[in-house]
Amino acid sequence: MLTINNKKALFLVSAIALSACTPATDNNATSETTMTQIPQTNMLEYNTPGQTDADHLYLEEVLGDKALAEVKDWNTRTLDKLMADPLFTQLQSEALSILQSKDKIPYVSYRAGEVFNFWQDAEHVRGIWRKSSLESYLSANTQWQTILDIDALAAAEEKNWVYKGVDCLAPDYVRCMVNLSDGGKDAVVRREFNTSTGKFIDKGFVTAESKGGMTWLNENTMVVGVDFGQGTMTDSGYPMLAKLWQRGTSMDSATEIGRGEQTDVGYWASVWELSDGRHEIFTTRAITFYDSETYWFAQNPDGTIAPGKKLPLPLQSSISGEFKGQIIVKLAEDWRDFASGTLVSFAIDDFMADGKIENVNLVYQPDEKSSIENIGTTKSKVLLSIYRDVTGAAYEFDFNGEQWTSKKLDFPVNGSVSIGSTNEKEDIAFISSESFLTPDTLYVYNTQTGEKTKAKSLPNWFDASTMVSEQFFATSTDGIKVPYFVVRQKDIKFDGTNPTLLYGYGGFEVSLNPTYSATRGKLWVERGGVFVLSNIRGGGEYGPKWHQAGLKTKRQNIYDDFIAVAEDLIAKNVTSPQHLGIEGGSNGGLLMGVMYTQRPDLFNAVVCAVPLLDMMRYHTLLAGASWMGEYGDPDDAIEGAFLRSISPYHNIDPEANYPEVFFITSTKDDRVHPAHARKAAKRMEDQGHAFLYYENIDGGHSAAANLKETAKRLALQHTYLFEKLQRSK
């Protein structure tokens, strides 16, 4: 299988988001506003003894006694307040019922005639990895065979194991590397497992806890990129080199294949299984989050590995798969005669022959209102989900040896269409369709025959017949039209009193598309809340240019877009500042921090989850150095000045009137350091501002290690929102 590393996964938190449309007159994200934009601030200084930046550094000690004592005090105060509200118990029960329901769709991967699924419910809190036949899966009563029970494993080993996926060796998929995380961290332990016996292999491949990865070259050889000891990890905390590891030998004796630089984001090793069956070693050197180089390492007849040969591709591009000898590449910059955002291909054998790429073929070129969302490759077709004004459709593509052809597939187009699991060896693909008010339906699509079969669908978790979803466009400060969706009860009055939650992310080219959120619909909209999803710049809704319009010192565009959506909601009398709340996590948590420091007058509630908030030290904390391609370098004179001007931690004003912010983070988050939330909360406490704070001791970057904890977090958030935003009684 061709394994492509998705660098965006190093950062992202899952967006918990749940259309008469006003057409955009101009969605050209490359406006003239490309100069350095530094918001006008007072450049606050914190010189009071005990309240300086230096005084707060102890909060960066993740497990420090003083830091945890502070956290526990904040947790107790918050939990005592929110859990005392009778609404909390109702919301928690409803959320847990949905999360643990056996009516959820068991999403699967398809390998060698069987489907594989990871499942969590009330009896399997940590989850089970299981399999079935495709025929049984398509039936009303699927018969599952458990392969690995994570709850039982955690109990037997007295560990807080969280399942983080598997990598299995084709073609029989019996030998698998299972990834296990302690409490939800990104760093995992990798252990070789036999799916036939249901046991871990004695003296099999095992790694210590580390970020990175490993993949099969053959039954007895792994290509590995993990922490090999001192000097083998980048400043961002990811592997800096790749090695070839033979069965029965110690990792210390593994042979180095290639390496990057200390200042790189990471160096990712992989094995590509081409469509003709060859296994080839490739590595990706991520110089920044968006600039990367890919190398091919030929295998000599004597088993040694030749020096790497770099693919002559633009730095801002990503490889999306291989099909009929063509390597598919998505461009994030103009290259040759192709515009940024275009999908192209070239012959891998031509490159391997002389190290050059002569002929490049056009696969698909989006227009200014379109973007490619995801790609899947099967034995006979390449599948794409293509979005236009944030509404998706599915297409299949084929290559006849000279050019690509395409055909639109018959799937619903009123919301999101996603290409799910695909396998280059099989013609079976999984495609799902959903909208804000239509539950997700999963289809099995045979790319050889064109046969489409409905596999599974979600139940109606809330009464959508009383609701409506609409799309609107707000005008940002530079004239750009910013799309957003409003999901509401049909009969609400536009009198400015509706409790409204505005969600945003705005970064890393991540698109927020219309999706069915059972918990959002049940807990919020069904109770009269209005949910708003913003598609601000920094995301990928209109391709790379939409994202790049908010990079580094242009980031104020993102924040102006979000403010424009908030102001448009108020102008339409959907809500008012007293009843308007906002939510975002991770990069969206930074967005929340900027919003409550720049425009506290617009909002009465802020859910600031697993956030970045200290933008002058973010690059020194955990994986922070890897994101300088997105945010800029705090040590650079121009970029640092901009970051200081928007850094929420450095713009908390003792004279300001802030809403009571709700900070949510996780002690076990080894991606975004919990010190960001801790330090912002401490500064607010120093100045006497009201805030709520909840730090889950486990949970990783999603702030939840299991379904019960997720339900608790959702109940806490929504209790807070209703307390702050509901109409006066």
Side-chain angles (χ1 to χ4, degrees):
M1 182 177 295
L2 175 56
T3 303
I4 303 298
N5 175 65
N6 182 357
K7 291 182 288 182
K8 292 178 185 175
L10 301 178
F11 188 80
L12 308 180
V13 66
S14 298
I16 307 172
L18 261 154
S19 288
C21 296
T22 304
T25 57
D26 181 12
N27 275 324
N28 181 7
T30 55
S31 70
E32 295 300 316
T33 315
T34 58
M35 64 190 72
T36 299
Q37 300 175 38
I38 301 180
Q40 297 300 311
T41 67
N42 294 323
M43 290 297 179
L44 296 166
E45 296 183 4
Y46 306 97
N47 298 321
T48 303
Q51 299 182 10
T52 68
D53 290 6
D55 291 322
H56 292 166
L57 288 177
Y58 73 93
L59 293 165
E60 294 182 4
E61 299 174 20
V62 177
L63 299 177
D65 291 341
K66 184 178 179 182
L68 286 179
E70 200 102 54
V71 164
K72 290 175 183 177
D73 284 345
W74 293 337
N75 276 359
T76 298
R77 175 170 59 84
T78 298
L79 294 176
D80 286 350
K81 180 180 186 298
L82 295 178
M83 293 175 70
D85 189 326
L87 181 61
F88 170 83
T89 302
Q90 299 174 35
L91 293 171
Q92 185 181 39
S93 177
E94 290 176 7
L96 193 60
S97 176
I98 292 170
L99 294 170
Q100 293 186 337
S101 170
K102 296 183 183 298
D103 292 330
K104 296 181 298 183
I105 295 178
Y107 294 96
V108 295
S109 58
Y110 181 76
R111 300 192 292 262
E114 294 181 310
V115 295
F116 295 79
N117 163 257
F118 180 72
W119 181 258
Q120 293 174 291
D121 58 25
E123 289 77 42
H124 308 97
V125 176
R126 299 178 187 274
I128 53 173
W129 181 36
R130 59 187 187 172
K131 70 176 182 178
S132 181
S133 68
L134 180 60
E135 181 181 8
S136 179
Y137 179 70
L138 293 175
S139 71
N141 186 24
T142 306
Q143 300 300 304
W144 293 101
Q145 176 186 341
T146 298
I147 304 171
L148 178 61
D149 186 325
I150 306 299
D151 294 88
L153 179 68
E157 299 184 351
E158 297 183 341
K159 285 281 199 175
N160 186 17
W161 288 133
V162 175
Y163 174 82
K164 290 283 187 172
V166 297
D167 178 27
C168 299
L169 176 64
D172 57 11
Y173 305 101
V174 171
R175 293 181 179 270
C176 299
M177 296 304 301
V178 177
N179 300 317
L180 298 169
S181 164
D182 178 11
K185 294 184 288 187
D186 285 352
V188 299
V189 172
R190 301 160 186 85
R191 295 162 61 179
E192 189 176 3
F193 185 83
N194 187 305
T195 58
S196 294
T197 64
K199 296 180 180 179
F200 288 100
I201 296 175
D202 186 36
K203 297 181 181 180
F205 289 112
V206 177
T207 72
E209 181 181 82
S210 170
K211 294 182 180 180
M214 60 192 301
T215 186
W216 298 92
L217 182 60
N218 54 55
E219 182 177 332
N220 296 309
T221 312
M222 304 291 297
V223 175
V224 187
V226 294
D227 186 348
F228 296 107
Q230 185 174 1
T232 65
M233 301 290 277
T234 67
D235 294 338
S236 299
Y238 296 104
M240 193 178 73
L241 57 111
K243 292 187 177 184
L244 204 65
W245 187 15
Q246 300 291 341
R247 183 180 298 280
T249 65
S250 69
M251 188 178 287
D252 293 339
S253 65
T255 304
E256 183 173 322
I257 299 171
R259 65 169 57 211
E261 301 291 337
Q262 191 78 35
T263 55
D264 292 344
V265 170
Y267 190 80
W268 313 103
S270 59
V271 175
W272 299 4
E273 184 177 358
L274 305 181
S275 51
D276 61 8
R278 285 179 291 166
H279 290 72
E280 300 289 350
I281 300 172
F282 285 81
T283 65
T284 298
R285 178 193 171 204
I287 303 169
T288 72
F289 208 85
Y290 303 110
D291 299 324
S292 62
E293 299 173 339
T294 301
Y295 295 83
W296 168 56
F297 293 82
Q299 302 167 66
N300 297 321
D302 62 359
T304 59
I305 306 299
K309 185 180 294 186
K310 186 170 72 171
L311 275 68
L313 294 170
L315 291 176
Q316 294 191 17
S317 62
S318 57
I319 294 174
S320 301
E322 182 261 355
F323 179 73
K324 294 184 177 180
Q326 293 282 304
I327 297 294
I328 302 169
V329 180
K330 185 178 179 182
L331 302 176
E333 62 177 281
D334 295 345
W335 183 55
R336 297 191 180 183
D337 295 328
F338 302 101
S340 176
T342 302
L343 201 65
V344 298
S345 74
F346 67 91
I348 184 63
D349 284 340
D350 289 350
F351 161 74
M352 289 179 170
D354 58 12
K356 299 178 181 179
I357 298 176
E358 298 290 348
N359 298 316
V360 180
N361 303 297
L362 173 65
V363 182
Y364 174 76
Q365 180 172 332
D367 60 25
E368 288 188 348
K369 293 188 177 183
S370 303
S371 66
I372 300 168
E373 184 63 19
N374 51 18
I375 302 170
T377 304
T378 70
K379 185 177 180 180
S380 58
K381 297 291 189 298
V382 174
L383 301 175
L384 269 66
S385 60
I386 297 173
Y387 280 65
R388 184 173 182 82
D389 278 335
V390 207
T391 299
Y395 293 78
E396 66 176 20
F397 287 72
D398 200 358
F399 185 69
N400 63 11
E402 296 182 357
Q403 64 181 6
W404 289 85
T405 57
S406 66
K407 181 179 74 171
K408 187 176 181 180
L409 301 179
D410 182 22
F411 287 90
V413 293
N414 62 337
S416 294
V417 176
S418 301
I419 310 301
S421 175
T422 59
N423 187 330
E424 295 95 331
K425 294 183 176 63
E426 312 278 359
D427 288 311
I428 298 298
F430 294 88
I431 300 177
S432 60
S433 173
E434 62 185 316
S435 71
F436 290 111
L437 303 179
T438 306
D440 189 4
T441 297
L442 181 67
Y443 299 89
V444 175
Y445 179 65
N446 188 312
T447 54
Q448 177 63 41
T449 65
E451 181 182 2
K452 180 180 70 173
T453 304
K454 181 179 177 180
K456 306 287 180 182
S457 62
L458 286 176
N460 291 297
W461 283 108
F462 53 87
D463 185 5
S465 68
T466 66
M467 303 174 189
V468 64
S469 67
E470 302 164 297
Q471 187 184 44
F472 301 98
F473 291 80
T475 303
S476 195
T477 52
D478 59 358
I480 293 296
K481 302 297 183 181
V482 181
Y484 68 93
F485 292 93
V486 176
V487 184
R488 60 175 176 84
Q489 294 283 349
K490 293 177 181 177
D491 61 355
I492 68 166
K493 296 180 180 179
F494 292 90
D495 57 5
T497 67
N498 298 293
T500 300
L501 178 62
L502 169 58
Y503 189 95
Y505 187 80
F508 294 88
E509 205 177 336
V510 174
S511 302
L512 299 185
N513 299 317
T515 55
Y516 185 85
S517 171
T519 55
R520 188 75 80 195
K522 185 68 176 178
L523 274 60
W524 184 249
V525 184
E526 196 168 75
R527 282 183 165 82
V530 177
F531 178 69
V532 182
L533 184 71
S534 63
N535 302 115
I536 56 182
R537 279 174 286 186
E541 287 86 350
Y542 293 110
K545 290 184 178 180
W546 193 248
H547 166 235
Q548 292 161 3
L551 282 178
K552 296 185 177 181
T553 58
K554 294 182 284 186
R555 204 157 196 85
Q556 189 61 37
N557 284 332
I558 296 170
Y559 308 136
D560 289 345
D561 288 358
F562 195 79
I563 290 169
V565 173
E567 292 179 334
D568 205 46
L569 290 168
I570 294 168
K572 285 181 167 63
N573 262 346
V574 174
T575 191
S576 60
Q578 180 183 354
H579 301 287
L580 178 57
I582 54 177
E583 178 188 344
S586 195
N587 171 72
L590 170 60
L591 171 67
M592 297 301 102
V594 174
M595 288 302 99
Y596 81 75
T597 51
Q598 286 191 7
R599 290 299 306 272
D601 59 303
L602 274 182
F603 315 108
N604 198 34
V606 181
V607 178
C608 187
V610 289
L612 285 92
L613 296 172
D614 181 352
M615 297 310 291
M616 301 310 293
R617 282 182 55 76
Y618 84 90
H619 62 317
T620 69
L621 301 172
L622 297 177
S626 66
W627 310 320
M628 287 196 287
E630 176 79 12
Y631 300 122
D633 183 356
D635 297 325
D636 177 84
I638 295 176
E639 293 176 355
F642 175 79
L643 286 167
R644 175 62 177 76
S645 74
I646 60 102
S647 177
Y649 174 63
H650 294 95
N651 285 283
I652 298 173
D653 187 343
E655 303 301 321
N657 183 21
Y658 296 118
E660 186 179 39
V661 180
F662 187 6
F663 297 103
I664 299 173
T665 191
S666 170
T667 309
K668 288 290 181 71
D669 190 345
D670 56 349
R671 198 180 311 179
V672 176
H673 201 295
H676 285 281
R678 293 175 178 180
K679 290 199 288 186
K682 185 62 178 176
R683 178 143 289 160
M684 295 190 81
E685 184 174 73
D686 290 343
Q687 297 179 5
H689 299 299
F691 66 92
L692 297 178
Y693 185 98
Y694 178 60
E695 182 172 321
N696 178 23
I697 302 303
D698 295 310
H701 191 49
S702 62
N706 57 61
L707 297 179
K708 290 181 179 178
E709 178 57 38
T710 300
K712 178 181 178 181
R713 175 177 55 78
L714 288 171
L716 290 171
Q717 290 175 212
H718 286 85
T719 300
Y720 160 79
L721 290 168
F722 275 115
E723 286 186 354
K724 293 295 178 185
L725 305 179
Q726 65 185 350
R727 300 176 182 88
S728 299
K729 296 180 180 179

